[in-house]
Amino acid sequence: MKRSPIDEEKPRNADLFLHRRQGEGVRTVHSQIETTERDPRSAQGPWSDLALHTIGWRAFQDLCSQVCEVVLRRPVEIFREAQDGGQDAVFLIPSPNGEQLIGTIQCKHTSDAGKALKLSDLSAEIGNVEELVKGGQADTYIFMTNMSVDAPVAAAMRAKLREFGVRKPHILGRQYIVRVIKSSARLRALVPQVYGLGDLTAIVDERLSEQSRALLDSWIPKLRTYVPTQAHRDAVNAISDHGVVLLLGNPASGKSAIGAIVSTIASENPDNTVLALTSPRDFEAGWNPNDPGRFFWIDDAFGSNVLRDDYVQDWASAFSKLRAAIKHGNRFLLTSRKHIYEAARRRLGQRNLAQFADGSAVVDVGELTFEEKAQILYNHINFGEQSQSWRSNVKPHLAAVAAVEEFLPGIAERLGDPNFTKGLTPRESSLVRFMEEPTEHLIDTVSALDEQLRAALYLIYVHQAGFDPSDHDAAAAQAVSDLTGFTLAKIQDCFAELKGSFLKLSGAKWTFAHPTISDALTEVLRQKPHMMAALIRGAPIDTILGSFTCEGSPLIRDALVIPSGLNEALVARLSHTPDENHRNWMLFHFLSYRANDAVFAKLIGQFPEILRRHCWQSDPLANDPRFHTYGRAHQFGLLPEDLRCEAARSLESAALSDLDMSFFAERGMLALISPLRLVRLGLALRTNLLPALEERIDEIAADADLDEEPDSHFKKLLGALERIEEMGVELDDDAVGLVGDARDQVNRAVDGLEERKRERDEENEDDTDWTYIVTQKKEEPSPPELAATKRSVFDDVDK
């Protein structure tokens, strides 16, 4: 069984806590850490310090809690300042006689990087210590601080605490906290923002692949602002339990950040290779069944701005390989916008991954507590580029911003960047509106940029996969150059100025720093028809087929609408779509769902050979865009008779041989079969198909993949039975009996598959218990509801 670095760095004895009873021999947390650091598998490097003074008091308190959980190997309960009575956290200490002794953790944070702990710093806590000792809550008392601690001061403080009745005092300073973080991958999984507070070479050493290093390097500036939320922990648990997780969220909700962080953690294992992919086809090309150590991070798995129907088609076939890859020890993290996945889920139907269909491996990253939102906002303001005077002016209003119901971490990040807040008045109403209506403000920001800077954004926009200066679409680049009046060289000169705010460099490609920038450009271009004309002529065909729609067609969320006045230009551009299976599928889909009647009739009328192109066949046929296009062309009288007959034969074969009768619900497809042939099809279903169902069900059960849900194998057959009953053909008693018998036999077959699956899983149980990431699960009941804390997390945001 493979082990993660977090497994390897667990304390040597499961019952090792902060201390042991004197009869067992004293062993402090310090000696435990020294033992861990001698582990040859631990990451080594010159990480001698962390900028803990920059993270704020609330984040430091949470960090101390996680440090104690990792060292103590048990949950730690936090009490916020207004109610803590001198306790920042409490824990239970086991003893040989079964007595549950209570310990207290007190945290003290300073924003002064050079400050050292003094004995007088304990004075303010003495009264609380006495009360805690009297109440039996300070058998052990831990004083944790980000200040440096000298040995004489620590000794004096421990002696002082003993005078007031503390039996086991501990003084833990910055040096100790840094050592614990450095030695424990588990702690870094729980508090991943520490990657951004120190020297990356301590974690990213020679074991990491070049690709993983590039992944980390691109995200390291954002790590120090990262706040581990419940969604982060749920994602870690889902990968541990299922080997896969799908993160759902609206634009700017932080799903990509969680994906990057969890991928970063996975990359610490020297046996792992982290692959950041952009499509299901990339996975199929990158999966090696003989390499179990691959962690696949697939951002915007079903399309970035709009649903990519070709991605849905690819995933329908790739999910079986994904299940096999998980069995071989690979792990997967996918992200998607919520509305895009919802559309994909409907298209996938029974072809969806079981863990996604039942929601067990789906995490909604948008559900944040007020405390999480406040800490996210604090971090972005505190680590941002805003002036101290600006931060002081907005500080009184930040709690109101954090309270916005639709709070978005990506928008909080923009509040820390002066490039996005020019003209934003530091009033509560303006700041709250900035969070509530981010697209409107971003549109104004983009519109206010210099023309040459906007030209750089347009150049990225028309290269949807990213602009590579050495490998780009020359026609698209020339279209932007002609449109804006700037040479390509001058446009590219602007990339450096936009880097970090609007753009980022991923490998050799320039892309948007966040997908919402693309959304804002879509809105800007909707108001500029002359730009739309240039984009139609110059944008990559994948951009047009995947992100545009025609005026007069059903509205598609986030798709750019092509005005009817540009129908001629669009027809000319579509006619030059390369004759390739992948792009033909996209073209047929565009013609089925996104082309208005005028564009469809004009394109097929002028270029009828398009209908004879080949592409993948979709399953079920009701989702096949080529047959939808044939049906629409037949309606317009533009479908040649030989193609209609060929399509009719394919539909009949699908019904009789594959039990795929989904097209019966599609009038356009059904019209491809002549009335006489449709009657013959009905008779064949009655006389040939129904009597053979028993044998067909046995074949399906024998060939079933036990990694799929047992009932999923019979969805198509059961659907066919429903269609037969709905056809309006009178069934005789024998036919009714055959249908009933078939349903009973399906139920028995499903029960049999479930039993086979249970037996298989029991046999393989010992071989599949491996995860990349292990996290702790708190077993104690949640603390009672507490009153609002008196101290605001934003108190020192302007320091």
Side-chain angles (χ1 to χ4, degrees):
M1 182 177 74
K2 289 184 178 286
R3 305 174 70 202
S4 75
I6 301 174
D7 290 323
E8 292 160 357
E9 294 167 3
K10 292 177 182 176
R12 297 298 182 268
N13 298 306
D15 60 349
L16 176 62
F17 296 107
L18 180 66
H19 59 75
R20 291 179 175 174
R21 302 286 292 180
Q22 187 172 0
E24 300 175 285
V26 177
R27 187 179 185 185
T28 67
V29 286
H30 301 281
S31 63
Q32 185 259 312
I33 291 301
E34 290 167 0
T35 301
T36 302
E37 287 187 332
R38 289 195 295 269
D39 184 345
R41 295 295 300 276
S42 297
Q44 302 295 324
W47 196 13
S48 58
D49 201 4
L50 293 173
L52 297 175
H53 63 285
T54 66
I55 65 176
W57 70 270
R58 174 72 68 83
F60 179 72
Q61 187 181 74
D62 291 337
L63 173 61
C64 290
S65 168
Q66 297 292 359
V67 167
C68 291
E69 284 197 7
V70 168
V71 174
L72 296 174
R73 297 293 314 284
R74 67 188 297 106
V76 173
E77 187 174 2
I78 290 287
F79 292 95
R80 296 302 180 194
E81 185 177 356
Q83 299 82 23
D84 66 9
Q87 293 173 303
D88 278 295
V90 298
F91 54 89
L92 301 178
I93 303 171
S95 60
N97 59 11
E99 181 183 3
Q100 292 291 308
L101 303 177
I102 298 178
T104 289
I105 303 165
Q106 183 66 41
C107 305
K108 191 171 186 66
H109 179 263
T110 178
S111 57
D112 184 348
K115 191 171 183 179
L117 184 67
K118 298 179 294 185
L119 182 60
S120 59
D121 289 322
L122 187 62
S123 301
E125 307 298 334
I126 293 302
N128 288 329
V129 170
E130 291 181 301
E131 292 297 320
L132 290 169
V133 171
K134 291 178 182 178
Q137 296 182 308
D139 178 77
T140 293
Y141 185 91
I142 304 176
F143 188 92
M144 298 187 73
T145 179
N146 68 313
M147 291 182 269
S148 61
V149 178
D150 295 329
V153 173
M157 294 184 75
R158 287 195 293 269
K160 194 76 172 176
L161 289 168
R162 290 191 184 97
E163 291 178 12
F164 291 96
V166 176
R167 291 199 310 121
K168 294 174 178 145
H170 298 270
I171 310 300
L172 308 178
R174 183 177 69 236
Q175 299 93 330
Y176 167 76
I177 295 173
V178 170
R179 287 202 308 272
V180 174
I181 292 171
K182 178 180 177 181
S183 65
S184 173
R186 175 191 291 271
L187 181 57
R188 295 193 295 275
L190 294 169
V191 194
Q193 68 266 39
V194 298
Y195 284 93
L197 301 177
D199 186 348
L200 182 64
T201 57
I203 303 302
V204 186
D205 58 22
E206 68 280 358
R207 300 175 308 178
L208 294 184
S209 69
E210 183 178 340
Q211 184 173 14
S212 296
R213 187 183 298 274
L215 172 69
L216 292 174
D217 287 345
S218 67
W219 276 90
I220 197 65
K222 296 179 181 291
L223 285 170
R224 62 179 181 172
T225 63
Y226 184 73
V227 175
T229 62
Q230 186 59 48
H232 166 93
R233 293 184 284 274
D234 289 344
V236 170
N237 288 333
I239 292 179
S240 294
D241 295 340
H242 305 291
V244 63
V245 66
L246 171 62
L247 303 180
L248 296 182
N250 293 322
S253 60
K255 57 186 181 299
S256 296
I258 295 177
I261 300 305
V262 175
S263 300
T264 294
I265 296 165
S267 70
E268 286 201 46
N269 189 325
D271 298 326
N272 294 352
T273 300
V274 175
L275 301 176
L277 310 181
T278 59
S279 73
R281 286 196 165 191
D282 288 343
F283 153 63
E284 294 190 84
W287 173 50
N288 180 356
N290 298 316
D291 183 0
R294 296 196 173 193
F295 186 102
F296 295 90
W297 171 29
I298 307 171
D299 215 10
D300 292 320
F302 300 97
S304 54
N305 292 355
V306 297
L307 176 67
R308 288 282 298 268
D309 291 276
D310 55 323
Y311 282 12
V312 174
Q313 179 71 13
D314 284 347
W315 278 122
S317 62
F319 277 147
S320 60
K321 296 180 182 178
L322 187 146
R323 286 190 292 269
I326 291 174
K327 289 176 61 179
H328 282 82
N330 291 277
R331 296 296 180 262
F332 294 84
L333 186 148
L334 287 68
T335 73
S336 178
R337 296 188 183 187
K338 293 174 71 173
H339 73 278
I340 290 178
Y341 171 68
E342 182 58 30
R345 185 184 63 81
R346 291 195 298 268
R347 298 280 179 87
L348 286 167
Q350 298 303 320
R351 302 172 298 164
N352 202 354
L353 194 68
Q355 296 93 324
F356 294 169
D358 64 16
S360 60
V362 178
V363 175
D364 186 343
V365 306
E367 297 179 356
L368 300 172
T369 65
F370 173 79
E371 289 76 15
E372 290 172 339
K373 293 189 287 187
Q375 189 64 56
I376 291 168
L377 183 58
Y378 171 91
N379 284 5
H380 285 303
I381 300 295
N382 185 47
F383 288 107
E385 301 297 329
Q386 300 285 10
S387 66
Q388 183 176 352
S389 61
W390 190 91
R391 286 182 280 149
S392 296
N393 287 334
V394 302
K395 183 168 76 170
H397 314 305
L398 294 179
V401 177
V404 170
E405 184 175 355
E406 298 300 325
F407 177 94
L408 294 171
I411 306 306
E413 181 180 1
R414 289 190 190 137
L415 276 173
D417 187 342
N419 288 299
F420 291 97
T421 57
K422 295 175 182 178
L424 181 67
T425 56
R427 294 196 301 265
E428 180 175 315
S429 58
S430 299
L431 293 166
V432 169
R433 191 181 309 114
F434 185 96
M435 180 59 69
E436 291 179 333
E437 303 173 4
T439 302
E440 180 179 342
H441 185 86
L442 184 56
I443 291 171
D444 293 340
T445 302
V446 170
S447 300
L449 291 174
D450 291 342
E451 291 184 10
Q452 192 169 336
L453 294 177
R454 287 204 307 273
L457 298 183
Y458 297 150
L459 186 60
I460 303 298
Y461 185 88
V462 300
H463 290 81
Q464 192 174 22
F467 179 82
D468 185 340
S470 62
D471 183 18
H472 59 271
D473 189 300
Q478 188 60 47
V480 173
S481 179
D482 294 342
L483 170 69
T484 60
F486 298 105
T487 65
L488 183 60
K490 287 187 176 181
I491 294 175
Q492 292 183 72
D493 288 342
C494 297
F495 288 169
E497 184 175 345
L498 294 170
K499 183 180 180 181
S501 54
F502 292 88
L503 300 180
K504 65 180 179 181
L505 186 59
S506 300
K509 288 186 177 182
W510 288 92
T511 61
F512 291 122
H514 197 276
T516 51
I517 297 172
S518 179
D519 296 340
L521 282 171
T522 297
E523 294 299 324
V524 169
L525 292 171
R526 280 195 173 115
Q527 310 303 320
K528 300 180 182 295
H530 66 290
M531 289 186 178
M532 179 65 71
L535 289 176
I536 290 173
R537 293 182 175 90
I541 192 63
D542 287 358
T543 299
I544 295 173
L545 297 176
S547 301
F548 292 9
T549 190
C550 292
E551 181 180 357
S553 295
L555 182 64
I556 298 175
R557 180 175 174 179
D558 295 333
L560 197 60
V561 178
I562 303 172
S564 298
L566 296 176
N567 284 351
E568 291 285 352
L570 177 60
V571 167
R573 188 71 175 88
L574 294 176
S575 69
H576 290 92
T577 302
D579 188 0
E580 302 164 356
N581 280 349
H582 166 61
R583 291 189 170 88
N584 288 340
W585 194 96
M586 295 182 69
L587 176 60
F588 283 131
H589 186 272
F590 187 93
L591 292 173
S592 299
Y593 303 106
R594 303 191 179 200
N596 57 34
D597 288 347
V599 168
F600 185 94
K602 194 177 294 290
L603 179 66
I604 300 303
Q606 293 181 13
F607 306 96
E609 65 276 6
I610 285 176
L611 294 174
R612 299 187 180 278
R613 292 189 176 192
H614 297 285
C615 71
W616 315 312
Q617 182 168 308
S618 301
D619 182 29
L621 280 180
N623 295 333
D624 196 302
R626 184 165 65 103
F627 285 101
H628 275 288
T629 300
Y630 284 0
R632 195 173 184 187
H634 182 58
Q635 178 185 354
F636 280 98
L638 297 173
L639 184 67
E641 181 62 17
D642 64 315
L643 285 182
R644 187 197 66 76
C645 292
E646 178 185 327
R649 285 193 295 271
S650 297
L651 295 176
E652 293 167 358
S653 175
L656 293 172
S657 301
D658 300 330
L659 303 178
D660 184 352
M661 298 173 62
S662 58
F663 63 89
F664 274 64
E666 303 294 333
R667 289 188 176 183
M669 284 192 188
L670 203 59
L672 295 172
I673 306 176
S674 66
L676 182 59
R677 295 186 65 161
L678 193 58
V679 171
R680 285 204 297 264
L681 175 60
L683 293 174
L685 291 173
R686 167 62 185 89
T687 58
N688 300 331
L689 180 63
L690 288 181
L693 284 178
E694 181 178 354
E695 181 179 352
R696 184 68 64 87
I697 293 170
D698 288 340
E699 292 175 354
I700 294 173
D703 296 335
D705 182 350
L706 296 182
D707 288 321
E708 297 184 7
E709 292 302 309
D711 60 351
S712 67
H713 300 286
F714 301 97
K715 294 295 184 182
K716 193 179 289 185
L717 184 145
L718 293 175
L721 295 180
E722 293 177 3
R723 294 297 179 194
I724 291 173
E725 291 176 320
E726 294 171 357
M727 284 174 61
V729 177
E730 189 70 25
L731 296 179
D732 55 41
D733 292 341
D734 289 341
V736 172
L738 289 172
V739 170
D741 291 343
R743 287 200 170 99
D744 291 339
Q745 186 181 353
V746 166
N747 292 333
R748 293 192 299 271
V750 169
D751 292 340
L753 288 177
E754 289 175 344
E755 180 61 27
R756 285 167 53 192
K757 185 175 182 179
R758 278 194 299 270
E759 293 174 354
R760 191 279 310 269
D761 291 344
E762 289 173 1
E763 292 175 359
N764 296 337
E765 188 174 16
D766 293 337
D767 298 327
T768 57
D769 186 20
W770 175 75
T771 57
Y772 282 101
I773 303 164
V774 179
T775 188
Q776 295 164 299
K777 296 182 180 179
K778 296 189 177 183
E779 298 178 356
E780 88 286 2
S782 301
E785 288 296 321
L786 303 175
T789 180
K790 293 179 181 178
R791 184 179 183 187
S792 169
V793 68
F794 302 109
D795 276 356
D796 59 350
V797 74
D798 55 341
K799 296 296 188 292

